[in-house]
Amino acid sequence: TFQSCQFQGGVNALRATTNNNDDTQLMKETKNTLSRREMLPAAALLALSSTMLPSLANAAEEESSPSAASVATKFIRQGKGYAYEFLPPAGFKEGNKPLKTHLDEVNFAKEGAPRGYQYGVTVDPVRIDSLRQFGTPEEVAARVVTAEVNRDGIFQVTLVKDPVENPNNGCYEIDYLSDGKRGKKNFVTRIFIQKNMLYVLTAQAKVENYEELEQEMLDCVKTFSLTVN
């Protein structure tokens, strides 16, 4: 049964700990409200680098004039060892190339969309070949929210529903609420591992817009698929 859990931690711990063998103690702590010292051992803290979606989380949030685009366009991405397809909502376009902190990173925004409503995808190499090798959805959720709360200006991160494994594509579905100095935001996150590549798809919206945008966000993340041969 899901209990609303507040974790001291964030998303980038996921990438770090998939490449770290010393995970046993951390995996036992995912059911509780944890302090930062309890959440990650020193070795894992030293392994953390940038957040999983730094450009998405810190992007400018100014509203623009409405875009003329009204048709959704499939986005196809392929590189050395990775490939995926994604159908963002109509009018969303690939943003400027962010500072490179991942093997690959793409953010999507739309002119005229509610302030703070964005999507992002990152790809990184890992040493494991499946999410189950890494942990249960609850254990992975602990790492996801750990990276978020460790970002500058974040006060509290709360899971809003049970983390689950999608029975159709094997991804972990992790949704959470982040409360920080820029306000409260809902995050819809889908995590995949295939052929030693970690894919993280994230949609975000301000809490005041989430009820209106929730169905579109949930429908949109369902369009993400891995296409590696």
Side-chain angles (χ1 to χ4, degrees):
T1 301
F2 173 72
Q3 297 179 348
S4 180
C5 298
Q6 298 170 358
F7 296 91
Q8 301 296 322
V11 177
N12 193 57
L14 176 62
R15 181 176 60 176
T17 53
T18 53
N19 290 322
N20 191 325
N21 292 326
D22 187 19
D23 294 334
T24 303
Q25 180 178 352
L26 178 58
M27 288 185 176
K28 294 178 181 177
E29 299 172 341
T30 60
K31 293 291 185 179
N32 303 312
T33 300
L34 306 175
S35 69
R36 286 186 183 176
R37 288 185 179 179
E38 290 170 331
M39 189 59 204
L40 288 173
L45 285 172
L46 291 174
L48 299 183
S49 54
S50 60
T51 57
M52 188 58 72
L53 290 172
S55 301
L56 175 63
N58 297 311
E61 297 179 345
E62 298 181 359
E63 292 185 84
S64 306
S65 58
S67 171
S70 59
V71 178
T73 303
K74 180 180 289 187
F75 179 81
I76 300 174
R77 192 74 158 182
Q78 185 171 1
K80 186 176 181 179
Y82 68 91
Y84 66 87
E85 297 180 352
F86 174 57
L87 185 64
F92 276 76
K93 297 180 179 179
E94 179 183 357
N96 294 331
K97 186 175 181 179
L99 180 67
K100 187 175 177 62
T101 56
H102 304 275
L103 176 64
D104 188 62
E105 179 176 358
V106 182
N107 296 327
F108 302 87
K110 176 184 177 181
E111 293 183 355
R115 186 175 300 177
Y117 179 31
Q118 301 168 74
Y119 293 80
V121 181
T122 62
V123 183
D124 287 289
V126 291
R127 294 178 182 174
I128 60 177
D129 195 37
S130 75
L131 281 166
R132 290 186 179 182
Q133 287 179 272
F134 180 47
T136 66
E138 291 83 3
E139 290 165 348
V140 174
R143 290 160 173 80
V144 170
V145 296
T146 294
E148 176 66 12
V149 84
N150 277 326
R151 286 179 48 235
D152 184 43
I154 300 300
F155 309 137
Q156 179 176 294
V157 179
T158 307
L159 290 172
V160 298
K161 61 176 68 173
D162 282 322
V164 297
E165 180 179 2
N166 186 299
N168 297 318
N169 58 23
C171 81
Y172 283 3
E173 301 181 354
I174 300 170
D175 299 348
Y176 60 93
L177 176 66
S178 176
D179 184 5
K181 63 184 180 182
R182 294 189 178 186
K184 294 182 178 181
K185 300 178 184 178
N186 281 91
F187 287 80
V188 175
T189 305
R190 301 294 181 263
I191 302 171
F192 304 75
I193 291 181
Q194 185 181 80
K195 295 186 177 180
N196 303 109
M197 288 292 179
L198 168 69
Y199 301 78
V200 179
L201 165 64
T202 299
Q204 74 168 54
K206 287 183 173 292
V207 69
E208 58 265 31
N209 302 126
Y210 184 65
E211 183 176 356
E212 175 187 356
L213 297 170
E214 180 181 12
Q215 192 58 54
E216 179 174 85
M217 293 168 69
L218 294 175
D219 290 343
C220 181
V221 297
K222 290 178 183 177
T223 70
F224 187 89
S225 63
L226 303 181
T227 56
V228 179
N229 294 324

